[in-house]
Amino acid sequence: MTRAGRPPQDPARQMERAHRILDAAAELIGRWGYDKTTIDDVARQAGVAKGTIYLHWRTRDALFAALLRRERVHMLEEVRRSRPATPRELFAGIAAGLLRRPLLKAALVGDSEVLGKLVRQKRQGPGAMNMGEAFDAYYAALTAAGAARDLSGDHVLVIGSIMYGFLTVPWLLPGGPPPEERLAELLADMIERATGTGRALPEDAARAVGRATLGYLDTIEDVARRKLADSLSLSRSV
């Protein structure tokens, strides 16, 4: 219920304020790391009262979850604009997008300097990759079009293992990882080798693969947007 004597704020202004707070949190976490960034710091950086932040998020962890969810939406928007037409282009785009965004990259590689205590939550958190029913449907469409092998239901295990391995292990190797774009291309090549049929597709099948790829992206982007919207909802009336 809205408090007596205080008119409800414009939803557009509330949303602008929420994004301003997230912008401030992103800058400070990138500079100091999660453990050293306080709500007071974020409030000063965003130019709002500390209590205002708690109108949007009850805890610092909830604020950070919203920040990761926003990063994921922006990454998927970026991939969607490139209009990937094949699984190779899709996975290369997603990998490159994850690696270009410091917070999502930190969640993937377990960077304790950035995430601090949240490293332990990174695989279950909102920045993690999640392959569910939408991906099963996408892979079934690829198989039907002759673009992917039937892996007897192990497609998520195979692709998830390749993605997670390529996006985490290189940071543990002597000399560190190759350039991000190169790493993304190597990842996509390995997925193609592991799941592809190696056959050239006729035009109608290639078009079907393109439609399925964009349809899958639309689906996961919609899910990501809804989760972000949940994270941006006010925790109580203002």
Side-chain angles (χ1 to χ4, degrees), residues 19-147:
H19 283 290
R20 180 154 41 96
I21 293 169
L22 291 178
D23 290 341
E27 181 177 342
L28 294 177
I29 291 170
R31 187 189 309 167
W32 298 333
Y34 177 81
D35 286 351
K36 295 180 181 179
T37 299
T38 68
I39 291 294
D40 289 300
D41 296 327
V42 175
R44 280 193 297 271
Q45 183 73 13
V48 301
K50 179 178 178 180
T52 299
I53 294 179
Y54 289 116
L55 293 173
H56 291 272
W57 302 284
R58 295 185 183 280
T59 67
R60 188 175 61 146
D61 286 3
L63 186 156
F64 188 73
L67 182 57
L68 281 181
R69 284 174 172 161
R70 190 179 69 161
E71 286 292 290
R72 183 175 173 82
V73 167
H74 288 170
M75 181 273 290
L76 291 172
E77 289 174 341
E78 183 179 84
V79 176
R80 186 60 173 78
R81 284 195 296 270
S82 71
R83 296 189 64 81
T86 64
R88 182 189 182 97
E89 293 175 359
L90 171 67
F91 290 115
I94 288 176
L98 288 171
L99 294 171
R100 277 194 296 265
R101 296 186 173 276
L103 292 178
L104 293 182
K105 178 179 174 180
L108 280 166
V109 304
D111 188 339
S112 60
E113 291 187 7
V114 176
L115 297 186
K117 67 171 186 164
L118 290 180
V119 165
R120 296 188 299 274
Q121 304 171 19
K122 68 185 179 66
R123 289 191 182 91
Q124 289 76 37
M129 291 300 297
N130 182 19
M131 296 182 179
E133 292 182 4
F135 186 77
D136 290 340
Y138 173 52
Y139 196 84
L142 296 179
T143 304

Side-chain angles (χ1 to χ4, degrees), residues 155-179:
H155 51 283
V156 172
L157 173 63
V158 171
I159 294 175
S161 297
I162 293 172
M163 288 195 70
Y164 189 74
F166 266 83
L167 296 176
T168 58
V169 172
W171 274 263
L172 304 177
L173 300 177

Side-chain angles (χ1 to χ4, degrees), residues 73 130 134 217-228:
V73 167
N130 182 19
L217 259 178
D218 287 342
T219 298
I220 60 176
E221 185 180 338
D222 180 64
V223 171
R225 285 182 182 280
R226 284 190 277 112
K227 289 183 177 180
L228 174 59

